[in-house]
Amino acid sequence: MRESLRQSMALVHTWTGLVLGWLLFAMFATGTSAYFQDEITRWMQPEITRAADPVASAQGAARYLERNAAGAGYWYMTLPNGRSATTQLFWQPADGSGYREAVVDEQGREVTVRETRGGYFLYRFHFDLHYLPVIWARYLVGIAAMLMLVAIISGVITHKKIFADFFMLRFGKGQRSWLDAHNVSAVLALPFHAMITFTGLVTLASMYMPWGVLANYAAPATFQEAVFGTSHDGVAAGKPASLPELAPLMHRAAAAWGGREVGIVRVTNPGDAAATIELTRASKDALGSRGEVLVFDVQGRQIGGSPAPGPAVRTESVMIGLHAGRFAQLGLRWLYFLSGIAGTIMVGSGLVLWTVKRRQRLPDPEHPHFGFRLVERLNVAAIAGLGSGIAAYFLANRLLPTGLAARADWEVHTMFLVWLGVLLWAVVRPPRRAWIEGLWLAAGFFGAVPVVNALTTSRGFPFDVLHGDWLFVGFDLVMAALAFAFGAAALKLTRRWSASAQAEAAPRRKRASSKAVEA
């Protein structure tokens, strides 16, 4: 019975990992990059060089909006923190037309930066995907995450020596090496994999399972009000009134939150006597992701705030906080990042392992059936193609003209065009050549990023080291490490398959020689 259970779990593990494995690989890879999304955005906006104080930035942003967005329905300010240096502004004009946005510095001066979606795009892609309606993408991602959770549980049951696997990594052993790589990367960060998958499902749990809310509340808005507090977005009074100084309100909010900073400022009906100022705690200052909120009127009186969270909301907030990792300081964030890399390797090695194991069982390994060939080529496109695409996204940031219309969109299009190109290349090339060429392409693209950065900006590795700009230094080093990893993989495969081809050719040459002698 025990053996039967293990065999059943092995089957479940294999197929749940494969069915949406390529999507899981992309989710893990882009989600891992999201732990440094602010740093990626700063790298993709090299024009910004200085840090900023959140309180002074809020005041500067308010001055900018009073000059440029008077009469707007609302203002929305995302303030700088230790990882970002500018204030992101959004507002809706009084005529109700489309949203407007701007980036300003601490003094409220608009910063002229290249248009980019930066690290935020990679963060959103890992659960919203792209070119798909968001609601479809989130259901698809939710199904993939559920399959991942099943794969983790069934994988733990399947492996008898799960902790011994941690010390087993044998190179150059074919299928055994892929299995070792899969096991080591899985065991190395097993608690992280389980946590990140389960909490990922929690982040969208009310969308996946809305029945609890529908059964207990008359409408979703009633649920939102009960959990997050009453909205103070009232109708404008039609009487002009000046906005109070934001600095005192932010200091009061920080004092109420035990010294934690304000991260977001939202002003409704600015310039009107019925205006409200809503301050939300910065997410970096606590494990819980749902920040406390305080609401003030134009006289500076507190008129509302978020209610004390109940056990369920507090638990959900902590789970989402654990998943996003925004509370993590630098060391812990690197641990998150490296664990995410281990998860990406785990999924990727599992996909490759499927083809390595099944090739040996094929009646004719040299002429596999369509399903096998499809998986083989999708593996090339997912692993080498996504890597090349992400590197191309960074290269496009430096190479596209700064005045190009819809420039940020074209950066994203570049990533998908390169990804698609690798897929098409994998379809028309023999699988072994497609693997080697795809991996070399990814290595070349990642290796080119620091070079192109140095050639197209006033920065560069020596300049950044001399000026102590460790964010740019770290980015260049990560790009170089990825280039080395993809290049080493390509070189390894080249040597291995070359040796294999020579070994296979030797008997044929011997038989041909024997026939020649007999003749």
Side-chain angles (χ1 to χ4, degrees):
M1 179 64 188
R2 184 178 300 170
E3 188 64 20
S4 176
L5 174 65
R6 285 190 59 245
Q7 288 176 343
S8 300
M9 288 298 103
L11 196 65
V12 169
H13 180 75
T14 299
W15 288 102
T16 51
L18 178 69
V19 170
L20 290 176
W22 303 283
L23 176 59
L24 282 169
F25 182 86
M27 289 165 60
F28 255 101
T30 52
T32 298
S33 71
Y35 293 120
F36 287 102
Q37 63 165 309
D38 288 336
E39 288 78 5
I40 292 173
T41 300
R42 286 195 66 182
W43 185 89
M44 295 180 81
Q45 293 178 328
E47 298 83 1
I48 299 170
T49 57
R50 298 180 58 186
D53 173 68
V55 176
S57 296
Q59 290 287 156
R63 291 194 295 272
Y64 174 88
L65 290 166
E66 285 171 349
R67 293 193 303 271
N68 298 281
Y74 69 83
W75 298 341
Y76 191 92
M77 313 175 195
T78 301
L79 302 177
N81 52 46
R83 300 168 57 196
S84 60
T86 56
T87 306
Q88 315 290 319
L89 302 179
F90 302 89
W91 68 91
Q92 185 178 34
D95 59 7
S97 57
Y99 299 105
R100 306 291 173 80
E101 58 183 289
V103 179
V104 298
D105 65 10
E106 188 178 83
Q107 284 73 42
R109 297 172 301 203
E110 188 163 3
V111 179
T112 304
V113 294
R114 62 191 65 204
E115 187 187 347
T116 181
R117 292 180 64 187
Y120 185 69
F121 165 73
L122 297 173
Y123 159 68
R124 297 291 299 199
F125 176 81
H126 104 276
F127 63 97
D128 276 353
L129 307 182
H130 200 65
Y131 303 128
L132 276 179
V134 169
I135 193 73
W136 292 12
R138 291 189 175 186
Y139 275 115
L140 189 59
V141 164
I143 294 169
M146 183 57 74
L147 291 176
M148 181 71 195
L149 192 60
V150 172
I152 290 173
I153 295 170
S154 57
V156 170
I157 296 171
T158 300
H159 293 291
K160 290 188 295 186
K161 302 176 180 176
I162 190 164
F163 293 107
D165 287 342
F166 177 80
F167 301 100
M168 305 286 275
L169 182 55
R170 288 156 286 189
F171 295 102
K173 303 292 183 184
Q175 177 185 329
R176 183 72 250 177
S177 298
W178 283 110
L179 183 59
D180 288 346
H182 184 66
N183 290 342
V184 168
S185 57
V187 175
L188 186 67
L190 180 59
F192 173 82
H193 299 151
M195 178 277 289
I196 210 70
T197 305
F198 182 73
T199 56
L201 287 166
V202 169
T203 59
L204 297 173
S206 60
M207 190 188 90
Y208 297 143
M209 298 183 294
W211 306 286
V213 173
L214 297 176
N216 291 282
Y217 295 90
T222 312
F223 165 74
Q224 295 286 330
E225 192 169 290
V227 174
F228 304 115
T230 304
S231 171
H232 293 271
D233 294 354
V235 178
K239 299 177 181 177
S242 301
L243 197 70
E245 291 289 314
L246 293 179
L249 303 185
M250 293 175 69
H251 290 312
R252 285 170 59 187
W257 300 330
R260 297 165 180 163
E261 295 179 352
V262 175
I264 294 171
V265 178
R266 187 176 189 274
V267 180
T268 305
N269 299 318
D272 188 86
T276 57
I277 303 101
E278 183 179 295
L279 307 180
T280 303
R281 174 183 56 75
S283 58
K284 69 181 180 63
D285 287 333
L287 182 58
S289 67
R290 296 197 185 280
E292 297 93 336
V293 174
L294 290 182
V295 184
F296 300 90
D297 64 10
V298 289
Q299 281 79 41
R301 297 174 300 198
Q302 183 182 338
I303 58 173
S306 53
V313 173
R314 196 187 298 274
T315 302
E316 184 219 27
S317 179
V318 169
M319 285 192 175
I320 297 174
L322 282 171
H323 184 86
R326 295 191 183 93
F327 69 93
Q329 298 301 309
L330 185 61
L332 184 55
R333 201 174 314 122
W334 271 107
L335 186 60
Y336 262 87
F337 181 79
L338 295 174
S339 299
I341 292 286
T344 308
I345 294 172
M346 174 187 68
V347 177
S349 59
L351 290 169
V352 174
L353 184 60
W354 189 92
T355 58
V356 172
K357 288 175 67 175
R358 271 153 187 79
R359 181 178 288 280
Q360 299 174 352
R361 304 176 191 170
L362 293 174
D364 183 0
E366 296 302 319
H367 300 89
H369 54 76
F370 172 77
F372 184 90
R373 284 183 279 124
L374 178 66
V375 171
E376 210 170 27
R377 283 158 173 76
L378 287 176
N379 284 350
V380 178
I383 296 171
L386 179 60
S388 300
I390 291 175
Y393 179 60
F394 298 142
L395 289 172
N397 175 263
R398 291 295 189 262
L399 295 175
L400 289 176
T402 53
L404 178 69
R407 187 180 190 280
D409 292 336
W410 276 108
E411 287 183 2
V412 175
H413 296 331
T414 301
M415 170 178 150
F416 286 102
L417 286 171
V418 170
W419 198 355
L420 177 62
V422 175
L423 171 62
L424 296 177
W425 190 254
V427 170
V428 300
R429 294 288 285 164
R432 289 186 176 184
R433 297 306 311 169
W435 265 118
I436 293 171
E437 291 156 2
L439 291 171
W440 276 123
L441 180 70
F445 274 15
F446 277 116
V449 172
V451 178
V452 172
N453 172 56
L455 294 176
T456 56
T457 69
S458 58
R459 301 170 184 265
F461 191 78
F463 176 90
D464 295 325
V465 170
L466 289 174
H467 290 80
D469 196 338
W470 304 117
L471 187 151
F472 272 69
V473 171
F475 195 96
D476 283 355
L477 290 176
V478 170
M479 293 298 105
L482 289 171
F484 176 81
F486 277 103
L491 194 60
K492 182 80 175 175
L493 288 182
T494 302
R495 290 174 175 170
R496 179 172 180 77
W497 284 336
S498 176
S500 176
Q502 289 178 8
E504 291 171 0
R508 288 198 297 269
R509 285 197 300 269
K510 188 175 180 180
R511 285 195 298 271
S513 175
S514 300
K515 288 179 180 176
V517 171
E518 290 171 3

mmCIF file of all heavy atoms in Angstrom, residues 83 257-263 280-292 309 314 316-329 332 336:
data_model
loop_
_atom_site.group_PDB
_atom_site.id
_atom_site.type_symbol
_atom_site.label_atom_id
_atom_site.label_comp_id
_atom_site.label_asym_id
_atom_site.label_seq_id
_atom_site.Cartn_x
_atom_site.Cartn_y
_atom_site.Cartn_z
ATOM 1 N N ARG A 83 14.401 52.754 -1.105
ATOM 2 C CA ARG A 83 14.738 52.040 -2.345
ATOM 3 C C ARG A 83 14.323 52.808 -3.595
ATOM 4 O O ARG A 83 14.730 52.448 -4.698
ATOM 5 C CB ARG A 83 14.061 50.676 -2.320
ATOM 6 C CG ARG A 83 14.501 49.807 -1.150
ATOM 7 C CD ARG A 83 13.611 48.592 -0.998
ATOM 8 N NE ARG A 83 13.571 47.787 -2.203
ATOM 9 C CZ ARG A 83 12.658 46.865 -2.450
ATOM 10 N NH1 ARG A 83 11.703 46.632 -1.567
ATOM 11 N NH2 ARG A 83 12.688 46.163 -3.562
ATOM 12 N N TRP A 257 1.309 55.407 14.439
ATOM 13 C CA TRP A 257 1.713 54.073 13.979
ATOM 14 C C TRP A 257 3.058 53.646 14.576
ATOM 15 O O TRP A 257 3.746 52.773 14.031
ATOM 16 C CB TRP A 257 1.821 54.041 12.448
ATOM 17 C CG TRP A 257 0.537 54.360 11.743
ATOM 18 C CD1 TRP A 257 -0.725 54.123 12.192
ATOM 19 C CD2 TRP A 257 0.410 54.985 10.457
ATOM 20 N NE1 TRP A 257 -1.651 54.563 11.279
ATOM 21 C CE2 TRP A 257 -0.990 55.090 10.196
ATOM 22 C CE3 TRP A 257 1.293 55.458 9.503
ATOM 23 C CZ2 TRP A 257 -1.487 55.659 9.029
ATOM 24 C CZ3 TRP A 257 0.816 56.016 8.335
ATOM 25 C CH2 TRP A 257 -0.571 56.115 8.099
ATOM 26 N N GLY A 258 3.453 54.256 15.657
ATOM 27 C CA GLY A 258 4.692 53.858 16.315
ATOM 28 C C GLY A 258 5.941 54.225 15.540
ATOM 29 O O GLY A 258 6.933 53.494 15.575
ATOM 30 N N GLY A 259 5.897 55.354 14.818
ATOM 31 C CA GLY A 259 7.078 55.805 14.088
ATOM 32 C C GLY A 259 7.162 55.320 12.663
ATOM 33 O O GLY A 259 8.115 55.644 11.947
ATOM 34 N N ARG A 260 6.201 54.532 12.206
ATOM 35 C CA ARG A 260 6.241 54.039 10.823
ATOM 36 C C ARG A 260 5.822 55.142 9.855
ATOM 37 O O ARG A 260 4.931 55.932 10.142
ATOM 38 C CB ARG A 260 5.323 52.831 10.685
ATOM 39 C CG ARG A 260 5.773 51.657 11.542
ATOM 40 C CD ARG A 260 4.683 50.641 11.665
ATOM 41 N NE ARG A 260 5.089 49.516 12.488
ATOM 42 C CZ ARG A 260 4.252 48.650 13.027
ATOM 43 N NH1 ARG A 260 2.948 48.787 12.846
ATOM 44 N NH2 ARG A 260 4.691 47.657 13.751
ATOM 45 N N GLU A 261 6.451 55.141 8.695
ATOM 46 C CA GLU A 261 6.274 56.227 7.743
ATOM 47 C C GLU A 261 4.992 56.097 6.923
ATOM 48 O O GLU A 261 4.431 55.009 6.783
ATOM 49 C CB GLU A 261 7.462 56.273 6.770
ATOM 50 C CG GLU A 261 8.784 56.619 7.418
ATOM 51 C CD GLU A 261 9.914 56.614 6.408
ATOM 52 O OE1 GLU A 261 9.675 56.192 5.258
ATOM 53 O OE2 GLU A 261 11.022 57.030 6.769
ATOM 54 N N VAL A 262 4.584 57.235 6.346
ATOM 55 C CA VAL A 262 3.487 57.238 5.377
ATOM 56 C C VAL A 262 4.052 56.823 4.023
ATOM 57 O O VAL A 262 5.116 57.291 3.610
ATOM 58 C CB VAL A 262 2.862 58.645 5.281
ATOM 59 C CG1 VAL A 262 1.803 58.696 4.182
ATOM 60 C CG2 VAL A 262 2.258 59.037 6.620
ATOM 61 N N GLY A 263 3.324 55.958 3.327
ATOM 62 C CA GLY A 263 3.781 55.511 2.006
ATOM 63 C C GLY A 263 2.964 56.072 0.861
ATOM 64 O O GLY A 263 3.475 56.291 -0.230
ATOM 65 N N THR A 280 -1.767 56.435 4.064
ATOM 66 C CA THR A 280 -1.618 54.991 4.237
ATOM 67 C C THR A 280 -0.189 54.664 4.637
ATOM 68 O O THR A 280 0.762 55.195 4.047
ATOM 69 C CB THR A 280 -1.957 54.250 2.933
ATOM 70 O OG1 THR A 280 -3.277 54.603 2.531
ATOM 71 C CG2 THR A 280 -1.870 52.735 3.121
ATOM 72 N N ARG A 281 -0.045 53.812 5.648
ATOM 73 C CA ARG A 281 1.290 53.436 6.117
ATOM 74 C C ARG A 281 2.087 52.755 5.012
ATOM 75 O O ARG A 281 1.553 51.985 4.214
ATOM 76 C CB ARG A 281 1.178 52.492 7.318
ATOM 77 C CG ARG A 281 2.512 51.931 7.770
ATOM 78 C CD ARG A 281 2.371 50.958 8.915
ATOM 79 N NE ARG A 281 1.491 49.833 8.677
ATOM 80 C CZ ARG A 281 1.819 48.777 7.911
ATOM 81 N NH1 ARG A 281 2.984 48.740 7.299
ATOM 82 N NH2 ARG A 281 0.965 47.787 7.779
ATOM 83 N N ALA A 282 3.396 53.040 5.005
ATOM 84 C CA ALA A 282 4.282 52.395 4.034
ATOM 85 C C ALA A 282 4.340 50.900 4.296
ATOM 86 O O ALA A 282 4.427 50.460 5.447
ATOM 87 C CB ALA A 282 5.679 53.010 4.115
ATOM 88 N N SER A 283 4.313 50.113 3.232
ATOM 89 C CA SER A 283 4.282 48.657 3.391
ATOM 90 C C SER A 283 5.605 48.098 3.887
ATOM 91 O O SER A 283 5.660 46.984 4.388
ATOM 92 C CB SER A 283 3.921 48.004 2.052
ATOM 93 O OG SER A 283 4.858 48.365 1.050
ATOM 94 N N LYS A 284 6.689 48.857 3.758
ATOM 95 C CA LYS A 284 8.004 48.336 4.158
ATOM 96 C C LYS A 284 8.184 48.298 5.673
ATOM 97 O O LYS A 284 9.125 47.679 6.156
ATOM 98 C CB LYS A 284 9.109 49.213 3.563
ATOM 99 C CG LYS A 284 9.198 50.607 4.170
ATOM 100 C CD LYS A 284 10.293 51.421 3.522
ATOM 101 C CE LYS A 284 10.381 52.810 4.123
ATOM 102 N NZ LYS A 284 10.723 52.842 5.534
ATOM 103 N N ASP A 285 7.286 48.939 6.405
ATOM 104 C CA ASP A 285 7.510 49.111 7.835
ATOM 105 C C ASP A 285 6.858 48.057 8.709
ATOM 106 O O ASP A 285 6.901 48.164 9.936
ATOM 107 C CB ASP A 285 7.023 50.496 8.275
ATOM 108 C CG ASP A 285 7.969 51.578 7.790
ATOM 109 O OD1 ASP A 285 9.163 51.278 7.600
ATOM 110 O OD2 ASP A 285 7.513 52.716 7.589
ATOM 111 N N ALA A 286 6.189 47.060 8.122
ATOM 112 C CA ALA A 286 5.556 46.034 8.943
ATOM 113 C C ALA A 286 5.370 44.777 8.113
ATOM 114 O O ALA A 286 5.323 44.824 6.880
ATOM 115 C CB ALA A 286 4.209 46.525 9.469
ATOM 116 N N LEU A 287 5.270 43.645 8.805
ATOM 117 C CA LEU A 287 5.087 42.368 8.113
ATOM 118 C C LEU A 287 3.748 42.328 7.394
ATOM 119 O O LEU A 287 3.646 41.838 6.270
ATOM 120 C CB LEU A 287 5.188 41.231 9.133
ATOM 121 C CG LEU A 287 5.069 39.806 8.609
ATOM 122 C CD1 LEU A 287 6.137 39.532 7.561
ATOM 123 C CD2 LEU A 287 5.193 38.803 9.750
ATOM 124 N N GLY A 288 2.711 42.850 8.024
ATOM 125 C CA GLY A 288 1.390 42.889 7.401
ATOM 126 C C GLY A 288 1.389 43.834 6.211
ATOM 127 O O GLY A 288 1.893 44.959 6.294
ATOM 128 N N SER A 289 0.822 43.387 5.106
ATOM 129 C CA SER A 289 0.884 44.205 3.883
ATOM 130 C C SER A 289 -0.192 45.277 3.846
ATOM 131 O O SER A 289 -0.060 46.264 3.135
ATOM 132 C CB SER A 289 0.739 43.313 2.655
ATOM 133 O OG SER A 289 -0.559 42.764 2.613
ATOM 134 N N ARG A 290 -1.280 45.073 4.557
ATOM 135 C CA ARG A 290 -2.360 46.049 4.536
ATOM 136 C C ARG A 290 -2.073 47.134 5.555
ATOM 137 O O ARG A 290 -2.235 46.942 6.758
ATOM 138 C CB ARG A 290 -3.706 45.375 4.825
ATOM 139 C CG ARG A 290 -4.111 44.362 3.759
ATOM 140 C CD ARG A 290 -5.563 44.033 3.839
ATOM 141 N NE ARG A 290 -5.946 42.990 2.910
ATOM 142 C CZ ARG A 290 -6.172 43.187 1.613
ATOM 143 N NH1 ARG A 290 -6.054 44.401 1.115
ATOM 144 N NH2 ARG A 290 -6.526 42.193 0.821
ATOM 145 N N GLY A 291 -1.630 48.272 5.049
ATOM 146 C CA GLY A 291 -1.221 49.351 5.937
ATOM 147 C C GLY A 291 -2.384 50.051 6.600
ATOM 148 O O GLY A 291 -3.497 50.117 6.054
ATOM 149 N N GLU A 292 -2.143 50.573 7.808
ATOM 150 C CA GLU A 292 -3.170 51.353 8.486
ATOM 151 C C GLU A 292 -3.433 52.644 7.706
ATOM 152 O O GLU A 292 -2.563 53.161 7.014
ATOM 153 C CB GLU A 292 -2.717 51.705 9.903
ATOM 154 C CG GLU A 292 -2.513 50.496 10.803
ATOM 155 C CD GLU A 292 -1.090 49.989 10.816
ATOM 156 O OE1 GLU A 292 -0.366 50.252 9.832
ATOM 157 O OE2 GLU A 292 -0.695 49.328 11.784
ATOM 158 N N PRO A 309 -8.088 45.573 12.609
ATOM 159 C CA PRO A 309 -8.357 44.339 11.851
ATOM 160 C C PRO A 309 -8.684 43.180 12.769
ATOM 161 O O PRO A 309 -8.116 43.040 13.854
ATOM 162 C CB PRO A 309 -7.042 44.114 11.098
ATOM 163 C CG PRO A 309 -6.004 44.787 11.936
ATOM 164 C CD PRO A 309 -6.675 45.969 12.564
ATOM 165 N N ARG A 314 -6.089 40.187 9.813
ATOM 166 C CA ARG A 314 -4.690 40.273 10.244
ATOM 167 C C ARG A 314 -3.874 39.103 9.675
ATOM 168 O O ARG A 314 -2.755 39.289 9.200
ATOM 169 C CB ARG A 314 -4.627 40.257 11.781
ATOM 170 C CG ARG A 314 -3.290 40.732 12.341
ATOM 171 C CD ARG A 314 -3.287 40.519 13.845
ATOM 172 N NE ARG A 314 -4.330 41.294 14.503
ATOM 173 C CZ ARG A 314 -4.181 42.562 14.882
ATOM 174 N NH1 ARG A 314 -3.036 43.162 14.683
ATOM 175 N NH2 ARG A 314 -5.177 43.191 15.465
ATOM 176 N N GLU A 316 -4.597 37.322 6.943
ATOM 177 C CA GLU A 316 -4.453 37.513 5.501
ATOM 178 C C GLU A 316 -3.374 38.548 5.193
ATOM 179 O O GLU A 316 -2.545 38.364 4.293
ATOM 180 C CB GLU A 316 -5.785 37.966 4.899
ATOM 181 C CG GLU A 316 -5.743 38.093 3.370
ATOM 182 C CD GLU A 316 -6.514 39.291 2.872
ATOM 183 O OE1 GLU A 316 -6.647 40.280 3.620
ATOM 184 O OE2 GLU A 316 -6.959 39.251 1.712
ATOM 185 N N SER A 317 -3.368 39.631 5.976
ATOM 186 C CA SER A 317 -2.389 40.700 5.762
ATOM 187 C C SER A 317 -0.960 40.190 5.937
ATOM 188 O O SER A 317 -0.061 40.510 5.149
ATOM 189 C CB SER A 317 -2.672 41.846 6.735
ATOM 190 O OG SER A 317 -1.729 42.876 6.575
ATOM 191 N N VAL A 318 -0.748 39.377 6.965
ATOM 192 C CA VAL A 318 0.596 38.826 7.213
ATOM 193 C C VAL A 318 0.996 37.863 6.092
ATOM 194 O O VAL A 318 2.151 37.856 5.629
ATOM 195 C CB VAL A 318 0.644 38.127 8.582
ATOM 196 C CG1 VAL A 318 1.930 37.312 8.729
ATOM 197 C CG2 VAL A 318 0.546 39.150 9.703
ATOM 198 N N MET A 319 0.033 37.053 5.636
ATOM 199 C CA MET A 319 0.356 36.105 4.557
ATOM 200 C C MET A 319 0.748 36.840 3.279
ATOM 201 O O MET A 319 1.713 36.469 2.598
ATOM 202 C CB MET A 319 -0.840 35.188 4.297
ATOM 203 C CG MET A 319 -1.018 34.124 5.359
ATOM 204 S SD MET A 319 -2.206 32.886 4.833
ATOM 205 C CE MET A 319 -2.088 31.735 6.192
ATOM 206 N N ILE A 320 -0.003 37.870 2.935
ATOM 207 C CA ILE A 320 0.339 38.636 1.733
ATOM 208 C C ILE A 320 1.691 39.328 1.934
ATOM 209 O O ILE A 320 2.509 39.415 1.012
ATOM 210 C CB ILE A 320 -0.772 39.656 1.410
ATOM 211 C CG1 ILE A 320 -2.077 38.919 1.096
ATOM 212 C CG2 ILE A 320 -0.370 40.525 0.231
ATOM 213 C CD1 ILE A 320 -3.271 39.841 0.907
ATOM 214 N N GLY A 321 1.917 39.815 3.162
ATOM 215 C CA GLY A 321 3.210 40.437 3.448
ATOM 216 C C GLY A 321 4.365 39.467 3.286
ATOM 217 O O GLY A 321 5.423 39.808 2.747
ATOM 218 N N LEU A 322 4.161 38.222 3.759
ATOM 219 C CA LEU A 322 5.201 37.200 3.588
ATOM 220 C C LEU A 322 5.452 36.925 2.111
ATOM 221 O O LEU A 322 6.591 36.733 1.690
ATOM 222 C CB LEU A 322 4.779 35.904 4.283
ATOM 223 C CG LEU A 322 4.925 35.851 5.804
ATOM 224 C CD1 LEU A 322 4.256 34.604 6.349
ATOM 225 C CD2 LEU A 322 6.399 35.881 6.191
ATOM 226 N N HIS A 323 4.402 36.894 1.326
ATOM 227 C CA HIS A 323 4.542 36.603 -0.107
ATOM 228 C C HIS A 323 5.285 37.737 -0.818
ATOM 229 O O HIS A 323 6.216 37.477 -1.588
ATOM 230 C CB HIS A 323 3.162 36.426 -0.730
ATOM 231 C CG HIS A 323 3.201 36.032 -2.172
ATOM 232 N ND1 HIS A 323 3.298 34.722 -2.580
ATOM 233 C CD2 HIS A 323 3.167 36.776 -3.319
ATOM 234 C CE1 HIS A 323 3.332 34.666 -3.902
ATOM 235 N NE2 HIS A 323 3.254 35.905 -4.375
ATOM 236 N N ALA A 324 4.887 38.976 -0.566
ATOM 237 C CA ALA A 324 5.478 40.109 -1.284
ATOM 238 C C ALA A 324 6.874 40.459 -0.764
ATOM 239 O O ALA A 324 7.712 40.948 -1.523
ATOM 240 C CB ALA A 324 4.556 41.325 -1.193
ATOM 241 N N GLY A 325 7.109 40.236 0.522
ATOM 242 C CA GLY A 325 8.438 40.486 1.083
ATOM 243 C C GLY A 325 8.819 41.951 1.141
ATOM 244 O O GLY A 325 10.007 42.275 1.243
ATOM 245 N N ARG A 326 7.851 42.863 1.106
ATOM 246 C CA ARG A 326 8.207 44.292 1.102
ATOM 247 C C ARG A 326 8.783 44.740 2.440
ATOM 248 O O ARG A 326 9.448 45.754 2.529
ATOM 249 C CB ARG A 326 6.971 45.131 0.755
ATOM 250 C CG ARG A 326 6.455 44.889 -0.653
ATOM 251 C CD ARG A 326 5.416 45.924 -1.057
ATOM 252 N NE ARG A 326 4.869 45.638 -2.375
ATOM 253 C CZ ARG A 326 3.765 44.936 -2.595
ATOM 254 N NH1 ARG A 326 3.071 44.478 -1.568
ATOM 255 N NH2 ARG A 326 3.340 44.705 -3.815
ATOM 256 N N PHE A 327 8.496 44.001 3.483
ATOM 257 C CA PHE A 327 9.008 44.345 4.808
ATOM 258 C C PHE A 327 10.491 44.005 4.944
ATOM 259 O O PHE A 327 11.174 44.508 5.824
ATOM 260 C CB PHE A 327 8.224 43.565 5.875
ATOM 261 C CG PHE A 327 8.515 42.085 5.827
ATOM 262 C CD1 PHE A 327 9.512 41.534 6.617
ATOM 263 C CD2 PHE A 327 7.822 41.237 4.967
ATOM 264 C CE1 PHE A 327 9.793 40.182 6.566
ATOM 265 C CE2 PHE A 327 8.104 39.887 4.898
ATOM 266 C CZ PHE A 327 9.094 39.353 5.697
ATOM 267 N N ALA A 328 10.992 43.149 4.054
ATOM 268 C CA ALA A 328 12.339 42.584 4.216
ATOM 269 C C ALA A 328 13.415 43.631 3.979
ATOM 270 O O ALA A 328 13.360 44.390 3.010
ATOM 271 C CB ALA A 328 12.519 41.418 3.257
ATOM 272 N N GLN A 329 14.396 43.632 4.860
ATOM 273 C CA GLN A 329 15.567 44.476 4.650
ATOM 274 C C GLN A 329 16.485 43.778 3.647
ATOM 275 O O GLN A 329 16.197 42.685 3.167
ATOM 276 C CB GLN A 329 16.278 44.722 5.976
ATOM 277 C CG GLN A 329 15.421 45.467 6.998
ATOM 278 C CD GLN A 329 14.966 46.835 6.500
ATOM 279 O OE1 GLN A 329 15.774 47.629 6.038
ATOM 280 N NE2 GLN A 329 13.658 47.104 6.586
ATOM 281 N N LEU A 332 17.556 39.936 4.033
ATOM 282 C CA LEU A 332 16.438 39.016 3.881
ATOM 283 C C LEU A 332 15.894 39.040 2.457
ATOM 284 O O LEU A 332 15.462 38.019 1.918
ATOM 285 C CB LEU A 332 15.340 39.363 4.882
ATOM 286 C CG LEU A 332 14.130 38.423 4.915
ATOM 287 C CD1 LEU A 332 14.554 36.987 5.154
ATOM 288 C CD2 LEU A 332 13.136 38.869 5.995
ATOM 289 N N TYR A 336 15.252 35.953 -0.061
ATOM 290 C CA TYR A 336 14.054 35.742 -0.873
ATOM 291 C C TYR A 336 14.459 35.527 -2.334
ATOM 292 O O TYR A 336 13.964 34.624 -3.008
ATOM 293 C CB TYR A 336 13.147 36.977 -0.791
ATOM 294 C CG TYR A 336 12.005 36.883 0.204
ATOM 295 C CD1 TYR A 336 12.169 37.238 1.524
ATOM 296 C CD2 TYR A 336 10.739 36.484 -0.205
ATOM 297 C CE1 TYR A 336 11.120 37.178 2.429
ATOM 298 C CE2 TYR A 336 9.678 36.427 0.684
ATOM 299 C CZ TYR A 336 9.864 36.776 2.004
ATOM 300 O OH TYR A 336 8.833 36.714 2.895
#
